[in-house]
Amino acid sequence: MDLLMRDTIAACATAPGAAGIAVIRISGPLAEPILNKVFTPRASAARLEHGRLYLGTLHAAGQEIDECMAVVMRAPKSYTRQDVAELQLHGSAYSVNACLNALFAAGARPAEPGEFTLRAYLNGRIDLSQAESVMALIQANNERAGQSALRQLNGGASRFVGEAQADLLSILAQVEAAIDYPEEVDDAVEDAELAARCRALADRLNAAAQERAARLVRDGLHVALLGPPNAGKSTLLNALLGEDKAIVTDIPGTTRDVLSGTFTLDGYSVTLYDTAGIHETADQIERLGIDRTYRAAAQADAVWWLQDAAQPDQEPLPTVLTGSGLPILKVYTKSDRLQPDNPRPEDGILVSAVSGDGLDELKAALKRMFDQLPDTPLTQQRHILAAQEAAASLNEAADALDAHLSQEFAAVHLHAALDTLGQITGEQTDERLLDEIFSNFCVGK
Ligand SMILES: Nc1nc2c(ncn2[C@@H]2O[C@H](COP(=O)(O)OP(=O)(O)OP(=O)(O)O)[C@@H](O)[C@H]2O)c(=O)[nH]1
Ligand SMILES: [Mg+2]
């Protein structure tokens, strides 16, 4: 990993494949001279103006490659805070490769994944949590995930961490004052008060580190559709997805493999898993399918137990499910086939994938799961783990204070908490961590 940033790097920032345009980025001290070697603006200009788009030609070794647009953004007013040049050319593999080769021949080197954003971070334009939010924003596939990444890009996580650090520093100052001037403080009163402040801050960090909420915002809700064969699992999956995804027949045991599909509800993404019907069977393939059903359930956030409303107790709800702690919703299917004198099940939702009855109720049940989610300032796994670790150190500091050990013990734990919080925004970091974070980026970002 290049932390010195003396090289000039170049990469295609748009996705590969035929497209209207592709954007190629160049960043580094030689960005402008390298651009000038491959690009000639149509209107002659002594020097390209900052931030202005020029139409011109792209050429290499005397041969024209493409007609394109180019812009120069001079340091520090650029994404990386270095000199940056961008080319917009036609999005063909030919144009992009020819352009990149021309840039490399002119002195640029290929950028590593995330290297532009790494430079923005190293130059202090954004902190580490903001750099990670760039990646989250690129990967967001639903409104909630996008909005949460944007809040983080605007410094949401950094602000929260900054406030926690300020609080922690004020506790630490008091602890260190007690170490330095023991004669001036009443130890017992002071210890109890400091311990309470440590615990309150630990609680705040733990409340912000809601793994489940963060994952649901990022990846959406995962619901496994389980039930006896022919209950109508595949039909319901198709109805909710609005597409003919799973095979439906009146033969029990149609579905063998787990099949999934995703739809968007109220800005959140919901992934449904259609599974093999659960029952006693000697059929080897079906048995393997049922094993997969249980594995899908174990990884889901909730299970819908589907049964034919006309014969609800055909297969008992498996005890492994009831004992799993997963939220289970009973769904009674094929309501369109119920006769007026049939009893209506009351401990679940009655639906018909054929008439569409009850589907809104199912969606409302999903929305309720989202509505219960707390609004958390931390949405990335790495930040959540760091916040939990800092909270644990704070509680250890509080324990030491409560036990009236020398305040130096508390100070050690408080310093550890401070370091851990600093990892979120990147004040405390090492090359390994940066490597791990930025290697997950795409090239060109
Ligand atoms: N009338 C009516 N028939 C339905 C409804 N849902 C499913 N069916 C029928 O019930 C039969 C079984 O449906 P599937 O969706 O294949 O059931 P499954 O639970 O996926 O079954 P397996 O994959 O075998 O476990 C098919 O003939 C469907 O057309 C419904 O809401 N109303
Ligand atoms: Mg099926």
Side-chain angles (χ1 to χ4, degrees):
M1 180 184 285
D2 166 31
L3 300 182
L4 297 175
M5 304 185 282
R6 289 198 200 113
D7 288 355
T8 297
I9 54 174
C12 181
T14 42
I21 58 166
V23 174
I24 288 181
R25 275 184 154 166
I26 313 163
S27 175
L30 296 180
E32 200 174 343
I34 290 175
L35 177 76
N36 288 336
K37 281 192 202 164
V38 303
F39 174 76
T40 310
R42 183 137 322 158
S44 68
R47 187 174 187 238
L48 302 186
E49 251 176 74
H50 170 93
R52 194 173 145 193
L53 208 52
Y54 290 86
L55 175 67
T57 50
L58 181 68
H59 44 81
Q63 194 196 346
E64 184 172 331
I65 299 170
D66 200 353
E67 179 180 63
C68 70
M69 310 281 283
V71 59
V72 169
M73 287 159 278
R74 295 198 177 87
K77 289 190 173 169
S78 72
Y79 182 66
T80 57
R81 279 203 179 158
Q82 295 187 301
D83 283 350
V84 165
E86 281 182 14
L87 284 152
Q88 298 179 5
L89 41 140
H90 292 105
S92 72
Y94 156 71
S95 302
V96 169
N97 287 336
C99 178
L100 285 173
N101 287 335
L103 294 173
F104 299 149
R109 74 153 163 83
E112 304 282 335
E115 200 168 3
F116 293 92
T117 308
L118 172 69
R119 290 183 169 199
Y121 160 69
L122 291 172
N123 282 326
R125 197 176 89 82
I126 49 175
D127 71 22
L128 198 53
S129 85
Q130 289 171 313
E132 287 168 291
S133 72
V134 171
M135 190 62 193
L137 196 53
I138 291 172
Q139 286 177 339
N141 61 2
N142 65 73
E143 186 187 333
R144 301 293 166 136
Q147 286 296 323
S148 119
L150 196 61
R151 271 200 302 277
Q152 194 184 325
L153 181 61
N154 291 331
S158 322
R159 253 192 309 281
F160 172 78
V161 171
E163 283 163 14
Q165 283 171 320
D167 225 15
L168 184 47
L169 277 172
S170 107
I171 300 174
L172 194 56
Q174 222 174 322
V175 169
E176 286 180 343
I179 297 172
D180 293 342
Y181 308 104
E183 63 288 351
E184 286 177 28
V185 289
D186 177 346
D187 280 354
V189 178
E190 174 108 355
D191 282 353
E193 187 213 314
L194 285 171
R197 286 183 66 191
C198 289
R199 291 198 204 281
L201 182 55
D203 288 350
R204 235 174 57 222
L205 289 173
N206 279 326
Q210 301 270 344
E211 246 162 299
R212 190 177 123 80
R215 194 174 49 72
L216 289 192
V217 168
R218 231 176 24 233
D219 307 333
L221 189 68
H222 293 235
V223 179
L225 275 51
L226 268 64
N230 260 358
K233 302 177 291 298
S234 303
T235 312
L236 184 63
L237 174 99
N238 290 344
L240 285 171
L241 294 182
E243 61 176 301
D244 195 13
K245 186 144 198 172
I247 299 175
V248 167
T249 72
D250 56 4
I251 305 163
T254 302
T255 306
R256 303 286 173 99
D257 267 328
V258 176
L259 206 98
S260 68
T262 301
F263 68 102
T264 307
L265 183 68
D266 212 15
Y268 284 107
S269 95
V270 178
T271 303
L272 299 175
Y273 293 86
D274 178 26
T275 63
I278 293 173
H279 70 131
E280 276 301 322
T281 174
D283 182 319
Q284 169 92 14
I285 303 172
E286 243 192 310
R287 283 235 294 272
L288 290 171
I290 295 170
D291 285 347
R292 291 182 179 215
T293 296
Y294 283 118
R295 267 184 269 147
Q299 284 167 11
D301 301 299
V303 165
W304 288 354
W305 180 251
L306 275 70
Q307 306 170 80
D308 188 331
Q311 36 178 333
D313 298 317
Q314 185 195 11
E315 181 77 26
L317 187 59
T319 47
V320 279
L321 285 183
T322 43
S324 68
L326 276 171
I328 297 173
L329 177 69
K330 286 191 179 172
V331 179
Y332 295 96
T333 57
K334 312 187 193 180
S335 66
D336 57 293
R337 286 224 204 119
L338 276 187
Q339 302 301 317
D341 53 343
N342 279 146
R344 317 253 132 190
E346 286 180 353
D347 60 343
I349 296 177
L350 190 60
V351 303
S352 165
V354 171
S355 74
D357 269 354
L359 296 186
D360 282 343
E361 250 183 284
L362 279 181
K363 290 182 186 165
L366 290 171
K367 275 191 193 164
R368 276 197 294 279
M369 296 190 76
F370 286 125
D371 290 342
Q372 286 161 4
L373 293 178
D375 208 7
T376 80
L378 304 179
T379 48
Q380 306 239 352
Q381 185 71 0
R382 191 181 73 80
H383 305 170
I384 288 173
L385 292 177
Q388 286 170 339
E389 196 183 318
S393 298
L394 277 158
N395 281 327
E396 281 182 88
D399 289 345
L401 289 162
D402 279 341
H404 301 299
L405 300 179
S406 155
Q407 268 112 353
E408 272 147 29
F409 287 102
V412 168
H413 294 303
L414 292 173
H415 276 291
L418 203 57
D419 283 355
T420 313
L421 284 182
Q423 286 171 8
I424 298 181
T425 45
E427 295 151 40
Q428 291 289 330
T429 179
D430 60 32
E431 199 172 324
R432 260 201 338 265
L433 176 67
L434 292 182
D435 216 11
E436 198 178 302
I437 292 173
F438 287 98
S439 61
N440 288 320
F441 268 65
C442 2
V443 171
K445 192 63 214 178

PDB file of all heavy atoms in Angstrom, residues 8 26 28-38 46-49 72-74 83-85:
ATOM      1  N   THR A   8       1.455   8.994  -9.607  1.00  0.00           N
ATOM      2  CA  THR A   8       0.173   9.421 -10.179  1.00  0.00           C
ATOM      3  C   THR A   8      -0.563   8.154 -10.603  1.00  0.00           C
ATOM      4  O   THR A   8      -0.004   7.307 -11.307  1.00  0.00           O
ATOM      5  CB  THR A   8       0.421  10.371 -11.365  1.00  0.00           C
ATOM      6  OG1 THR A   8       1.068  11.531 -10.847  1.00  0.00           O
ATOM      7  CG2 THR A   8      -0.881  10.765 -12.027  1.00  0.00           C
ATOM      8  N   ILE A  26      -7.578  10.254 -12.932  1.00  0.00           N
ATOM      9  CA  ILE A  26      -6.124  10.321 -12.736  1.00  0.00           C
ATOM     10  C   ILE A  26      -5.907  11.186 -11.497  1.00  0.00           C
ATOM     11  O   ILE A  26      -6.551  12.226 -11.360  1.00  0.00           O
ATOM     12  CB  ILE A  26      -5.421  11.002 -13.933  1.00  0.00           C
ATOM     13  CG1 ILE A  26      -5.946  10.425 -15.254  1.00  0.00           C
ATOM     14  CG2 ILE A  26      -3.918  10.854 -13.849  1.00  0.00           C
ATOM     15  CD1 ILE A  26      -5.631  11.306 -16.458  1.00  0.00           C
ATOM     16  N   GLY A  28      -2.723  12.648  -8.749  1.00  0.00           N
ATOM     17  CA  GLY A  28      -1.315  12.673  -8.356  1.00  0.00           C
ATOM     18  C   GLY A  28      -0.635  13.900  -8.925  1.00  0.00           C
ATOM     19  O   GLY A  28      -1.229  14.652  -9.706  1.00  0.00           O
ATOM     20  N   PRO A  29       0.616  14.086  -8.548  1.00  0.00           N
ATOM     21  CA  PRO A  29       1.328  15.298  -8.953  1.00  0.00           C
ATOM     22  C   PRO A  29       1.416  15.473 -10.472  1.00  0.00           C
ATOM     23  O   PRO A  29       1.471  16.595 -10.959  1.00  0.00           O
ATOM     24  CB  PRO A  29       2.720  15.129  -8.337  1.00  0.00           C
ATOM     25  CG  PRO A  29       2.775  13.776  -7.727  1.00  0.00           C
ATOM     26  CD  PRO A  29       1.390  13.252  -7.605  1.00  0.00           C
ATOM     27  N   LEU A  30       1.416  14.337 -11.217  1.00  0.00           N
ATOM     28  CA  LEU A  30       1.563  14.472 -12.678  1.00  0.00           C
ATOM     29  C   LEU A  30       0.235  14.367 -13.420  1.00  0.00           C
ATOM     30  O   LEU A  30       0.219  14.180 -14.644  1.00  0.00           O
ATOM     31  CB  LEU A  30       2.533  13.403 -13.203  1.00  0.00           C
ATOM     32  CG  LEU A  30       3.975  13.512 -12.703  1.00  0.00           C
ATOM     33  CD1 LEU A  30       4.831  12.405 -13.300  1.00  0.00           C
ATOM     34  CD2 LEU A  30       4.551  14.887 -13.061  1.00  0.00           C
ATOM     35  N   ALA A  31      -0.872  14.483 -12.695  1.00  0.00           N
ATOM     36  CA  ALA A  31      -2.180  14.276 -13.342  1.00  0.00           C
ATOM     37  C   ALA A  31      -2.330  15.175 -14.574  1.00  0.00           C
ATOM     38  O   ALA A  31      -2.746  14.715 -15.647  1.00  0.00           O
ATOM     39  CB  ALA A  31      -3.305  14.537 -12.340  1.00  0.00           C
ATOM     40  N   GLU A  32      -1.982  16.443 -14.416  1.00  0.00           N
ATOM     41  CA  GLU A  32      -2.225  17.376 -15.520  1.00  0.00           C
ATOM     42  C   GLU A  32      -1.252  17.158 -16.690  1.00  0.00           C
ATOM     43  O   GLU A  32      -1.701  17.051 -17.834  1.00  0.00           O
ATOM     44  CB  GLU A  32      -2.164  18.806 -14.990  1.00  0.00           C
ATOM     45  CG  GLU A  32      -2.850  19.754 -15.913  1.00  0.00           C
ATOM     46  CD  GLU A  32      -2.937  21.159 -15.326  1.00  0.00           C
ATOM     47  OE1 GLU A  32      -2.752  21.324 -14.098  1.00  0.00           O
ATOM     48  OE2 GLU A  32      -3.189  22.084 -16.105  1.00  0.00           O
ATOM     49  N   PRO A  33       0.065  17.065 -16.431  1.00  0.00           N
ATOM     50  CA  PRO A  33       0.957  16.787 -17.563  1.00  0.00           C
ATOM     51  C   PRO A  33       0.611  15.486 -18.280  1.00  0.00           C
ATOM     52  O   PRO A  33       0.714  15.406 -19.512  1.00  0.00           O
ATOM     53  CB  PRO A  33       2.343  16.689 -16.916  1.00  0.00           C
ATOM     54  CG  PRO A  33       2.222  17.192 -15.533  1.00  0.00           C
ATOM     55  CD  PRO A  33       0.793  17.387 -15.200  1.00  0.00           C
ATOM     56  N   ILE A  34       0.174  14.468 -17.533  1.00  0.00           N
ATOM     57  CA  ILE A  34      -0.179  13.199 -18.184  1.00  0.00           C
ATOM     58  C   ILE A  34      -1.419  13.382 -19.052  1.00  0.00           C
ATOM     59  O   ILE A  34      -1.487  12.928 -20.193  1.00  0.00           O
ATOM     60  CB  ILE A  34      -0.371  12.081 -17.126  1.00  0.00           C
ATOM     61  CG1 ILE A  34       0.981  11.710 -16.522  1.00  0.00           C
ATOM     62  CG2 ILE A  34      -1.041  10.858 -17.746  1.00  0.00           C
ATOM     63  CD1 ILE A  34       0.928  10.704 -15.389  1.00  0.00           C
ATOM     64  N   LEU A  35      -2.397  14.116 -18.530  1.00  0.00           N
ATOM     65  CA  LEU A  35      -3.601  14.384 -19.326  1.00  0.00           C
ATOM     66  C   LEU A  35      -3.210  15.113 -20.607  1.00  0.00           C
ATOM     67  O   LEU A  35      -3.675  14.772 -21.701  1.00  0.00           O
ATOM     68  CB  LEU A  35      -4.601  15.231 -18.516  1.00  0.00           C
ATOM     69  CG  LEU A  35      -5.854  15.624 -19.312  1.00  0.00           C
ATOM     70  CD1 LEU A  35      -6.800  14.429 -19.447  1.00  0.00           C
ATOM     71  CD2 LEU A  35      -6.593  16.792 -18.673  1.00  0.00           C
ATOM     72  N   ASN A  36      -2.342  16.123 -20.477  1.00  0.00           N
ATOM     73  CA  ASN A  36      -1.964  16.912 -21.646  1.00  0.00           C
ATOM     74  C   ASN A  36      -1.276  16.078 -22.732  1.00  0.00           C
ATOM     75  O   ASN A  36      -1.334  16.416 -23.903  1.00  0.00           O
ATOM     76  CB  ASN A  36      -1.047  18.073 -21.230  1.00  0.00           C
ATOM     77  CG  ASN A  36      -1.839  19.137 -20.483  1.00  0.00           C
ATOM     78  OD1 ASN A  36      -3.060  19.244 -20.648  1.00  0.00           O
ATOM     79  ND2 ASN A  36      -1.159  19.912 -19.643  1.00  0.00           N
ATOM     80  N   LYS A  37      -0.642  14.961 -22.299  1.00  0.00           N
ATOM     81  CA  LYS A  37       0.019  14.119 -23.301  1.00  0.00           C
ATOM     82  C   LYS A  37      -0.985  13.339 -24.147  1.00  0.00           C
ATOM     83  O   LYS A  37      -0.685  12.952 -25.271  1.00  0.00           O
ATOM     84  CB  LYS A  37       0.949  13.113 -22.607  1.00  0.00           C
ATOM     85  CG  LYS A  37       2.270  13.733 -22.182  1.00  0.00           C
ATOM     86  CD  LYS A  37       3.228  12.618 -21.773  1.00  0.00           C
ATOM     87  CE  LYS A  37       4.314  13.173 -20.870  1.00  0.00           C
ATOM     88  NZ  LYS A  37       5.031  12.135 -20.151  1.00  0.00           N
ATOM     89  N   VAL A  38      -2.170  13.045 -23.560  1.00  0.00           N
ATOM     90  CA  VAL A  38      -3.106  12.177 -24.292  1.00  0.00           C
ATOM     91  C   VAL A  38      -4.345  12.922 -24.789  1.00  0.00           C
ATOM     92  O   VAL A  38      -5.117  12.384 -25.576  1.00  0.00           O
ATOM     93  CB  VAL A  38      -3.573  10.981 -23.421  1.00  0.00           C
ATOM     94  CG1 VAL A  38      -2.390  10.165 -22.942  1.00  0.00           C
ATOM     95  CG2 VAL A  38      -4.425  11.459 -22.247  1.00  0.00           C
ATOM     96  N   ALA A  46      -4.373  27.705 -23.366  1.00  0.00           N
ATOM     97  CA  ALA A  46      -3.001  27.655 -22.867  1.00  0.00           C
ATOM     98  C   ALA A  46      -2.931  26.702 -21.692  1.00  0.00           C
ATOM     99  O   ALA A  46      -2.028  25.869 -21.581  1.00  0.00           O
ATOM    100  CB  ALA A  46      -2.558  29.049 -22.458  1.00  0.00           C
ATOM    101  N   ARG A  47      -3.932  26.780 -20.806  1.00  0.00           N
ATOM    102  CA  ARG A  47      -3.952  25.935 -19.618  1.00  0.00           C
ATOM    103  C   ARG A  47      -5.420  25.643 -19.324  1.00  0.00           C
ATOM    104  O   ARG A  47      -6.249  26.568 -19.383  1.00  0.00           O
ATOM    105  CB  ARG A  47      -3.323  26.722 -18.473  1.00  0.00           C
ATOM    106  CG  ARG A  47      -3.126  25.919 -17.217  1.00  0.00           C
ATOM    107  CD  ARG A  47      -2.356  26.750 -16.198  1.00  0.00           C
ATOM    108  NE  ARG A  47      -2.020  25.946 -15.045  1.00  0.00           N
ATOM    109  CZ  ARG A  47      -2.392  26.257 -13.810  1.00  0.00           C
ATOM    110  NH1 ARG A  47      -3.100  27.339 -13.582  1.00  0.00           N
ATOM    111  NH2 ARG A  47      -2.041  25.488 -12.797  1.00  0.00           N
ATOM    112  N   LEU A  48      -5.737  24.395 -19.050  1.00  0.00           N
ATOM    113  CA  LEU A  48      -7.138  24.064 -18.789  1.00  0.00           C
ATOM    114  C   LEU A  48      -7.574  24.723 -17.489  1.00  0.00           C
ATOM    115  O   LEU A  48      -6.851  24.688 -16.501  1.00  0.00           O
ATOM    116  CB  LEU A  48      -7.326  22.547 -18.693  1.00  0.00           C
ATOM    117  CG  LEU A  48      -6.901  21.725 -19.918  1.00  0.00           C
ATOM    118  CD1 LEU A  48      -7.288  20.259 -19.733  1.00  0.00           C
ATOM    119  CD2 LEU A  48      -7.540  22.269 -21.194  1.00  0.00           C
ATOM    120  N   GLU A  49      -8.779  25.330 -17.528  1.00  0.00           N
ATOM    121  CA  GLU A  49      -9.298  25.983 -16.321  1.00  0.00           C
ATOM    122  C   GLU A  49      -9.758  24.929 -15.313  1.00  0.00           C
ATOM    123  O   GLU A  49     -10.323  23.902 -15.720  1.00  0.00           O
ATOM    124  CB  GLU A  49     -10.533  26.804 -16.696  1.00  0.00           C
ATOM    125  CG  GLU A  49     -10.351  28.284 -16.674  1.00  0.00           C
ATOM    126  CD  GLU A  49     -11.621  28.944 -17.163  1.00  0.00           C
ATOM    127  OE1 GLU A  49     -12.599  28.960 -16.390  1.00  0.00           O
ATOM    128  OE2 GLU A  49     -11.631  29.414 -18.321  1.00  0.00           O
ATOM    129  N   VAL A  72     -10.002  19.167 -15.349  1.00  0.00           N
ATOM    130  CA  VAL A  72      -8.895  19.159 -14.387  1.00  0.00           C
ATOM    131  C   VAL A  72      -9.396  19.771 -13.089  1.00  0.00           C
ATOM    132  O   VAL A  72     -10.087  20.789 -13.109  1.00  0.00           O
ATOM    133  CB  VAL A  72      -7.703  19.986 -14.921  1.00  0.00           C
ATOM    134  CG1 VAL A  72      -6.672  20.217 -13.836  1.00  0.00           C
ATOM    135  CG2 VAL A  72      -7.077  19.285 -16.101  1.00  0.00           C
ATOM    136  N   MET A  73      -9.098  19.126 -11.975  1.00  0.00           N
ATOM    137  CA  MET A  73      -9.425  19.703 -10.659  1.00  0.00           C
ATOM    138  C   MET A  73      -8.125  19.788  -9.886  1.00  0.00           C
ATOM    139  O   MET A  73      -7.525  18.767  -9.567  1.00  0.00           O
ATOM    140  CB  MET A  73     -10.464  18.841  -9.948  1.00  0.00           C
ATOM    141  CG  MET A  73     -11.847  18.977 -10.571  1.00  0.00           C
ATOM    142  SD  MET A  73     -12.934  17.603 -10.205  1.00  0.00           S
ATOM    143  CE  MET A  73     -12.419  16.416 -11.425  1.00  0.00           C
ATOM    144  N   ARG A  74      -7.695  21.012  -9.614  1.00  0.00           N
ATOM    145  CA  ARG A  74      -6.369  21.163  -9.001  1.00  0.00           C
ATOM    146  C   ARG A  74      -6.439  21.074  -7.479  1.00  0.00           C
ATOM    147  O   ARG A  74      -7.436  21.463  -6.873  1.00  0.00           O
ATOM    148  CB  ARG A  74      -5.756  22.515  -9.409  1.00  0.00           C
ATOM    149  CG  ARG A  74      -5.489  22.570 -10.897  1.00  0.00           C
ATOM    150  CD  ARG A  74      -4.531  23.643 -11.325  1.00  0.00           C
ATOM    151  NE  ARG A  74      -4.345  23.498 -12.772  1.00  0.00           N
ATOM    152  CZ  ARG A  74      -5.149  24.066 -13.673  1.00  0.00           C
ATOM    153  NH1 ARG A  74      -6.128  24.851 -13.279  1.00  0.00           N
ATOM    154  NH2 ARG A  74      -4.960  23.853 -14.951  1.00  0.00           N
ATOM    155  N   ASP A  83      -3.889  16.930  -7.384  1.00  0.00           N
ATOM    156  CA  ASP A  83      -4.328  17.272  -8.728  1.00  0.00           C
ATOM    157  C   ASP A  83      -5.040  16.051  -9.308  1.00  0.00           C
ATOM    158  O   ASP A  83      -4.519  14.925  -9.235  1.00  0.00           O
ATOM    159  CB  ASP A  83      -3.124  17.619  -9.614  1.00  0.00           C
ATOM    160  CG  ASP A  83      -2.598  19.017  -9.333  1.00  0.00           C
ATOM    161  OD1 ASP A  83      -3.277  19.774  -8.595  1.00  0.00           O
ATOM    162  OD2 ASP A  83      -1.520  19.359  -9.840  1.00  0.00           O
ATOM    163  N   VAL A  84      -6.229  16.301  -9.840  1.00  0.00           N
ATOM    164  CA  VAL A  84      -7.018  15.213 -10.416  1.00  0.00           C
ATOM    165  C   VAL A  84      -7.433  15.610 -11.829  1.00  0.00           C
ATOM    166  O   VAL A  84      -7.742  16.777 -12.074  1.00  0.00           O
ATOM    167  CB  VAL A  84      -8.284  14.941  -9.560  1.00  0.00           C
ATOM    168  CG1 VAL A  84      -9.289  14.084 -10.323  1.00  0.00           C
ATOM    169  CG2 VAL A  84      -7.918  14.255  -8.254  1.00  0.00           C
ATOM    170  N   ALA A  85      -7.402  14.636 -12.733  1.00  0.00           N
ATOM    171  CA  ALA A  85      -7.979  14.866 -14.055  1.00  0.00           C
ATOM    172  C   ALA A  85      -8.947  13.731 -14.336  1.00  0.00           C
ATOM    173  O   ALA A  85      -8.719  12.599 -13.898  1.00  0.00           O
ATOM    174  CB  ALA A  85      -6.883  14.895 -15.113  1.00  0.00           C
TER     175      ALA A  85
END
